[in-house]
Amino acid sequence: TVEVSTTLSPLPGRGVGGEVIIIIRDNGTGIPASVVEKIFQPFFTTKPTGQGTGLGLSLSYDIISKGHGGTLKVETEEGSGTCFTITLPQQA
């Protein structure tokens, strides 16, 4: 199961200028600790040679952080699933 949710987090005392938070959560097998530290690195893949480029999460990370000034974080537990949280600055 994959669940996606969004929320706005305004700055205290202001109606705009806060953050947009996007959460993508699954109830899969989780990501092993030995892999999770590398998933945002360019060309890292768990697929066999020639079957994956390893650019998806690396490009996503760069677009979110460098292109939009946001953050991309992962929380995972083997056997319990994974949660990616994207935080973007809200535009006025």
Side-chain angles (χ1 to χ4, degrees):
T1 303
V2 176
E3 178 182 314
V4 178
S5 61
T6 61
T7 187
L8 294 176
S9 175
L11 292 174
R14 295 175 55 190
V16 296
E19 300 172 324
V20 176
I21 302 167
I22 305 163
I23 299 171
I24 302 105
R25 181 184 320 269
D26 71 32
N27 65 346
T29 59
I31 303 171
S34 61
V35 173
V36 76
E37 297 174 9
K38 303 174 189 176
I39 62 172
F40 296 125
Q41 295 177 3
F43 307 111
F44 176 77
T45 182
T46 58
K47 295 180 181 179
T49 302
Q51 293 188 8
T53 62
L55 289 173
L57 284 173
S58 173
L59 287 174
S60 298
Y61 184 87
D62 285 348
I63 291 168
I64 291 165
S65 64
K66 296 176 184 173
H68 296 286
T71 62
L72 173 58
K73 297 180 182 178
V74 62
E75 295 177 29
T76 187
E77 184 177 334
E78 286 188 71
S80 296
T82 301
C83 179
F84 285 92
T85 302
I86 301 167
T87 304
L88 300 169
Q90 183 180 356
Q91 300 297 313

